[in-house]
Amino acid sequence: MRWYQLDVDRVEQKLHVTTNRGLTSKQVDERRKQYGQNVLESQKNISKWLIFLKQFQDFMVLVLLAATLIAGLLGEFIDAIAIMVIVLVNGFIGFFQEQKAEKSLDKLKELSAPMATVLREERWEKILSKEVVVGDIIKVSSGDRVPADIRIVKSNSMETEESALTGESLPVMKHATAIVTDSLDAQDQINMGFMGTLVTRGSGVGIVVGTGMNTVMGQIASLMVSTKKAITPLERKLAELGKILIAVALFLTAVVVALGVLQGHPIYNMFLAGVSLAVAAIPEGLPAIVTVALSLGVQRMIRKKAIVRKLSAVETLGCASVICSDKTGTMTENQMTVKEIYLNGEHLYVTGDGYDIRGDYFLNKEKVDPSLPNLESMLLYGMLCNNASLNVKKGKYYIDGDPTDGALLVAARKIGLKAVTGKKFQVIKELPFDSDRKRMSVIVEDENNMRFMITKGAPDVLLPRSSYFIDTNGRKLLKENDKNEFNQAINSMADKALRTIAIGMKPISRDVPLDSAFLEKDLTIIGLFGMIDPPRKEVKSAIEECRQAGIKTVMITGDHVKTARAIAKNLNLLPENGLVVEGYQLNQMSMNELEDVIEDTYVFARVTPEHKLKIVKAFQEKGHIVAMTGDGVNDAPAIKASDIGISMGINGTDVTKEASSLILMDDNFATIKSAIQEGRNIYENIRKFIRYLLASNVGEILVMLFAMLLALPLPLVPVQILWVNLVTDGLPAMALGLDKSEGDVMKRSPRNPREGVFARGLGYKIISRGILIGIVTLIAFMVTYQNNPDNLIYGQTVAFTTLVMAQLIHVFDCRSEHSIFSRNPFENVYLLLAVISSLLLLLVVIYWEPLQPIFHTTFLGVRDWMLIIAMSALPTVLFGFTKK
Ligand code: ADP
Ligand code: MG
């Protein structure tokens, strides 16, 4: 179908829809059945069986299975079956962990899935892009990805970037008129918007003509390569470390086996013991547990309204040393209310809060008559040069669209002006607002076909573009001292933390072309609006917490310096001698000059999104790990360049979301703090279970090694080693991954991203505790064995129990970087449950007679337990008090 050749009404007819009503829900249902979801067919899911089988592909596990087979052939059925069962259970656990990680990642994807704005049953609503059907009327604006192929019906200077389809990176200007040419390539169909392309400027409305695989993108989708699953830096580090650990474990195991054989142990016994030891000592599951810990942390973050798009961000979050945050909407409520108006050289004050339409105008403490000269026209212009709408739901007023625009609607309503209808004034062209231009204009035609332009925007942008101003005596030339008066008014408003907007107009004759570059010049300035945007309640304390955590908060805004400074002061963000740098200064500064002052700078005002990139780079040059927020299209490069790109869930655009690694569901600065806190905690938890697991493994290997060196019998049999690996190592380690943070995580300075896995004394802790666990287990074994040389099983049971108990006690030490007493041991319920269930399983294995032959155990008495507890508590008692 050549949609681009058809007029809009023909498209409407063919798709049975009208542009101002949208589809009915019945039509939507039918079409969804007919065409399916609006998605590109992605890569097929890997089957669950494969994931399950993958758990056994590990080399050592295969060797173990082979060894078991041999054991079975040799008639050792009990050993063979016991080992088989343990290996299977291990596989299942790995499988479920992987499933869980996978599921939570899927959930994440869903949460950050693209949305589309559609008109259905005459109402605009936001839906998931995949729910869009053919015939839907959709609205897109700068920063959005076009959700499906659309025939454009209305374009407000809409431009799209289609390089994904055409390779052409220059944006294409879109319009709505039909094109008659016969065979046009996608790039020349300038009245069409294509799925997946990016709106870089303006806005537009279109009718969906193709969804899913029936789009231009769908046709080439099969050509696109699927992205591989990315692994995080920590996972990579651990994988590398894992190789070393495997080598060490294998070497030590080989030594144990060789020594054992030399001491006269049967080769077959030593072989099985060696393989079991290798399986137990090799932390092959570590990267997987790390992934689980990361994804569980991610779920906790979701509960705190932070969506992580890349797992690696979880790690980087803990390293953040600077947060560069937008002011408007992130630190503030983004709920604007006009409080003051400067008109006819006088300040009027407006009462009322939020978007509530109750409120009055006062001049010198007296209520203002709406007939005050110029007041009504100023407010009317504010309503015309506007993209928001004021709506009411259950008696409460709210804004659809830009809050700055919304505030002007509310202000107009306070003197009784309601929405302007299309008949009297018709907007024939809009020059959209963006943070670079800092202004917006509309060209309006009135009922007498007279044209004029209204421009509103930052006062310091509008004043230089104005040649006249208006007061009670009519229009006058804007001279230097008049400008000064305006500037005084601007400053006085900005000092009160008010956001200032100037509004001006200019008549235009009908023969001036509407795309002239000279339109927004020679304006007549009418007045100023001053609006309040209160800071969010939680932000002040969040900034303080960040400060204590060694993280600097920097405010970035397009607003006036004075407004920015006033709000920064309110939030306690700007210290006594902190610097405020303005956009024009940034332009003049070289990179070096900026680096010289950036450590002392806390506020950047009147900046454009392009400046953000320079700011990120300067901080990074200074060695900082930078988190940067953004919402608009032009913020994307800075977000990408930062270490942690943060986008807004509510007011953010698709591009910034795609570029970011973290999405704030509530657009709130305080959420960044929570995410950093969680990020730090996750990393600490990972350190905790690495510490626990490796110390346990060191203990397991050493007890065997020492025994062989001392020419003793095997202190542990293979099943016991495997049991320890499965139960005592597995459960508590996972519970450590769910531990609460230590009280002081937000009182430490940020972690150095280059620090190794064993940094900050972790290596020492692992080795020292590990050696001691090995020694006490051996002592317990020796004492028992020497007293009962003819009952090896007895000695082995004591050794096994001591090892398990030593680990279960040691796990509490792993919860803190400080002394064991700095934490309440009953705080982590998961850990308690893990320890208790490990203990119960231990008792079952020792005391339940049917299991005794399988696990080579025997009954233990009170005196044995006294020995076991004394020995197993020793490592933790000796080291638990120290900070080392
Ligand atoms: P920020 O989001 O950091 O507050 P913006 O770039 O959005 O900064 O706004 C910069 C300035 O542009 C504001 O101080 C205001 O004067 C002006 N402005 C903001 N929104 C609009 C709008 N919708 N129409 C016209 N001017 C606006
Ligand atoms: Mg803004």
Side-chain angles (χ1 to χ4, degrees), residues 145-159:
R145 288 247 176 238
V146 180
D149 281 3
I150 56 175
R151 169 70 168 82
I152 288 162
V153 176
K154 194 176 153 206
S155 160
N156 291 322
S157 314
M158 172 170 155
E159 287 178 13

PDB file of all heavy atoms in Angstrom, residues 145-159:
ATOM      1  N   ARG A 145      10.518   7.630  20.204  1.00  0.00           N
ATOM      2  CA  ARG A 145      10.683   6.732  19.070  1.00  0.00           C
ATOM      3  C   ARG A 145       9.306   6.570  18.456  1.00  0.00           C
ATOM      4  O   ARG A 145       8.321   6.392  19.174  1.00  0.00           O
ATOM      5  CB  ARG A 145      11.165   5.362  19.526  1.00  0.00           C
ATOM      6  CG  ARG A 145      12.581   5.357  19.963  1.00  0.00           C
ATOM      7  CD  ARG A 145      13.467   4.555  19.036  1.00  0.00           C
ATOM      8  NE  ARG A 145      14.846   4.693  19.490  1.00  0.00           N
ATOM      9  CZ  ARG A 145      15.828   5.162  18.735  1.00  0.00           C
ATOM     10  NH1 ARG A 145      15.629   5.486  17.486  1.00  0.00           N
ATOM     11  NH2 ARG A 145      17.043   5.274  19.224  1.00  0.00           N
ATOM     12  N   VAL A 146       9.214   6.613  17.145  1.00  0.00           N
ATOM     13  CA  VAL A 146       7.929   6.381  16.497  1.00  0.00           C
ATOM     14  C   VAL A 146       7.582   4.904  16.726  1.00  0.00           C
ATOM     15  O   VAL A 146       8.381   4.031  16.416  1.00  0.00           O
ATOM     16  CB  VAL A 146       8.018   6.703  14.994  1.00  0.00           C
ATOM     17  CG1 VAL A 146       6.689   6.465  14.321  1.00  0.00           C
ATOM     18  CG2 VAL A 146       8.489   8.128  14.788  1.00  0.00           C
ATOM     19  N   PRO A 147       6.401   4.625  17.330  1.00  0.00           N
ATOM     20  CA  PRO A 147       6.124   3.252  17.753  1.00  0.00           C
ATOM     21  C   PRO A 147       5.693   2.304  16.626  1.00  0.00           C
ATOM     22  O   PRO A 147       5.736   1.100  16.796  1.00  0.00           O
ATOM     23  CB  PRO A 147       5.002   3.411  18.776  1.00  0.00           C
ATOM     24  CG  PRO A 147       4.355   4.701  18.434  1.00  0.00           C
ATOM     25  CD  PRO A 147       5.390   5.573  17.798  1.00  0.00           C
ATOM     26  N   ALA A 148       5.240   2.849  15.494  1.00  0.00           N
ATOM     27  CA  ALA A 148       4.796   2.004  14.380  1.00  0.00           C
ATOM     28  C   ALA A 148       4.945   2.841  13.120  1.00  0.00           C
ATOM     29  O   ALA A 148       5.323   4.010  13.200  1.00  0.00           O
ATOM     30  CB  ALA A 148       3.342   1.581  14.576  1.00  0.00           C
ATOM     31  N   ASP A 149       4.640   2.275  11.969  1.00  0.00           N
ATOM     32  CA  ASP A 149       4.672   3.102  10.763  1.00  0.00           C
ATOM     33  C   ASP A 149       3.416   3.969  10.738  1.00  0.00           C
ATOM     34  O   ASP A 149       2.305   3.460  10.908  1.00  0.00           O
ATOM     35  CB  ASP A 149       4.717   2.226   9.509  1.00  0.00           C
ATOM     36  CG  ASP A 149       6.130   1.709   9.255  1.00  0.00           C
ATOM     37  OD1 ASP A 149       7.010   2.007  10.091  1.00  0.00           O
ATOM     38  OD2 ASP A 149       6.347   1.020   8.243  1.00  0.00           O
ATOM     39  N   ILE A 150       3.591   5.274  10.533  1.00  0.00           N
ATOM     40  CA  ILE A 150       2.427   6.164  10.556  1.00  0.00           C
ATOM     41  C   ILE A 150       2.394   7.052   9.315  1.00  0.00           C
ATOM     42  O   ILE A 150       3.425   7.385   8.734  1.00  0.00           O
ATOM     43  CB  ILE A 150       2.433   7.079  11.811  1.00  0.00           C
ATOM     44  CG1 ILE A 150       3.733   7.892  11.920  1.00  0.00           C
ATOM     45  CG2 ILE A 150       2.238   6.257  13.071  1.00  0.00           C
ATOM     46  CD1 ILE A 150       3.730   8.891  13.061  1.00  0.00           C
ATOM     47  N   ARG A 151       1.181   7.410   8.911  1.00  0.00           N
ATOM     48  CA  ARG A 151       0.999   8.436   7.891  1.00  0.00           C
ATOM     49  C   ARG A 151       0.744   9.721   8.662  1.00  0.00           C
ATOM     50  O   ARG A 151      -0.181   9.792   9.482  1.00  0.00           O
ATOM     51  CB  ARG A 151      -0.211   8.075   7.022  1.00  0.00           C
ATOM     52  CG  ARG A 151      -0.688   9.174   6.089  1.00  0.00           C
ATOM     53  CD  ARG A 151       0.294   9.421   4.945  1.00  0.00           C
ATOM     54  NE  ARG A 151      -0.311  10.285   3.914  1.00  0.00           N
ATOM     55  CZ  ARG A 151      -0.359  11.612   4.008  1.00  0.00           C
ATOM     56  NH1 ARG A 151       0.146  12.228   5.063  1.00  0.00           N
ATOM     57  NH2 ARG A 151      -0.933  12.320   3.046  1.00  0.00           N
ATOM     58  N   ILE A 152       1.615  10.719   8.466  1.00  0.00           N
ATOM     59  CA  ILE A 152       1.537  11.921   9.290  1.00  0.00           C
ATOM     60  C   ILE A 152       0.340  12.777   8.914  1.00  0.00           C
ATOM     61  O   ILE A 152       0.042  12.993   7.732  1.00  0.00           O
ATOM     62  CB  ILE A 152       2.855  12.703   9.185  1.00  0.00           C
ATOM     63  CG1 ILE A 152       3.899  11.902   9.954  1.00  0.00           C
ATOM     64  CG2 ILE A 152       2.727  14.087   9.785  1.00  0.00           C
ATOM     65  CD1 ILE A 152       5.286  12.253   9.632  1.00  0.00           C
ATOM     66  N   VAL A 153      -0.385  13.216   9.938  1.00  0.00           N
ATOM     67  CA  VAL A 153      -1.602  13.990   9.752  1.00  0.00           C
ATOM     68  C   VAL A 153      -1.351  15.436  10.118  1.00  0.00           C
ATOM     69  O   VAL A 153      -1.948  16.350   9.577  1.00  0.00           O
ATOM     70  CB  VAL A 153      -2.694  13.412  10.675  1.00  0.00           C
ATOM     71  CG1 VAL A 153      -3.942  14.230  10.588  1.00  0.00           C
ATOM     72  CG2 VAL A 153      -2.968  11.971  10.338  1.00  0.00           C
ATOM     73  N   LYS A 154      -0.446  15.623  11.066  1.00  0.00           N
ATOM     74  CA  LYS A 154      -0.161  16.971  11.521  1.00  0.00           C
ATOM     75  C   LYS A 154       1.288  17.020  11.955  1.00  0.00           C
ATOM     76  O   LYS A 154       1.775  16.108  12.633  1.00  0.00           O
ATOM     77  CB  LYS A 154      -1.052  17.300  12.713  1.00  0.00           C
ATOM     78  CG  LYS A 154      -1.083  18.750  13.064  1.00  0.00           C
ATOM     79  CD  LYS A 154      -2.066  18.981  14.198  1.00  0.00           C
ATOM     80  CE  LYS A 154      -1.647  20.204  14.988  1.00  0.00           C
ATOM     81  NZ  LYS A 154      -2.114  20.146  16.362  1.00  0.00           N
ATOM     82  N   SER A 155       1.997  18.071  11.540  1.00  0.00           N
ATOM     83  CA  SER A 155       3.398  18.187  11.925  1.00  0.00           C
ATOM     84  C   SER A 155       3.680  19.581  12.440  1.00  0.00           C
ATOM     85  O   SER A 155       3.451  20.562  11.749  1.00  0.00           O
ATOM     86  CB  SER A 155       4.286  17.876  10.718  1.00  0.00           C
ATOM     87  OG  SER A 155       5.580  18.402  10.902  1.00  0.00           O
ATOM     88  N   ASN A 156       4.159  19.680  13.690  1.00  0.00           N
ATOM     89  CA  ASN A 156       4.641  20.960  14.213  1.00  0.00           C
ATOM     90  C   ASN A 156       6.147  20.938  14.102  1.00  0.00           C
ATOM     91  O   ASN A 156       6.827  20.487  15.016  1.00  0.00           O
ATOM     92  CB  ASN A 156       4.286  21.127  15.697  1.00  0.00           C
ATOM     93  CG  ASN A 156       2.819  21.302  15.910  1.00  0.00           C
ATOM     94  OD1 ASN A 156       2.148  21.967  15.128  1.00  0.00           O
ATOM     95  ND2 ASN A 156       2.309  20.673  16.964  1.00  0.00           N
ATOM     96  N   SER A 157       6.652  21.411  12.992  1.00  0.00           N
ATOM     97  CA  SER A 157       8.095  21.395  12.752  1.00  0.00           C
ATOM     98  C   SER A 157       8.706  20.053  13.140  1.00  0.00           C
ATOM     99  O   SER A 157       9.778  19.983  13.708  1.00  0.00           O
ATOM    100  CB  SER A 157       8.802  22.485  13.554  1.00  0.00           C
ATOM    101  OG  SER A 157       8.138  23.688  13.450  1.00  0.00           O
ATOM    102  N   MET A 158       7.988  18.990  12.840  1.00  0.00           N
ATOM    103  CA  MET A 158       8.474  17.678  13.265  1.00  0.00           C
ATOM    104  C   MET A 158       9.608  17.193  12.367  1.00  0.00           C
ATOM    105  O   MET A 158       9.526  17.246  11.156  1.00  0.00           O
ATOM    106  CB  MET A 158       7.324  16.668  13.217  1.00  0.00           C
ATOM    107  CG  MET A 158       7.750  15.237  13.443  1.00  0.00           C
ATOM    108  SD  MET A 158       6.289  14.184  13.644  1.00  0.00           S
ATOM    109  CE  MET A 158       6.908  12.607  13.146  1.00  0.00           C
ATOM    110  N   GLU A 159      10.689  16.761  13.025  1.00  0.00           N
ATOM    111  CA  GLU A 159      11.813  16.197  12.275  1.00  0.00           C
ATOM    112  C   GLU A 159      12.141  14.839  12.853  1.00  0.00           C
ATOM    113  O   GLU A 159      12.066  14.644  14.058  1.00  0.00           O
ATOM    114  CB  GLU A 159      13.039  17.110  12.407  1.00  0.00           C
ATOM    115  CG  GLU A 159      12.910  18.390  11.617  1.00  0.00           C
ATOM    116  CD  GLU A 159      14.119  19.299  11.801  1.00  0.00           C
ATOM    117  OE1 GLU A 159      15.152  18.836  12.332  1.00  0.00           O
ATOM    118  OE2 GLU A 159      14.006  20.471  11.419  1.00  0.00           O
TER     119      GLU A 159
END
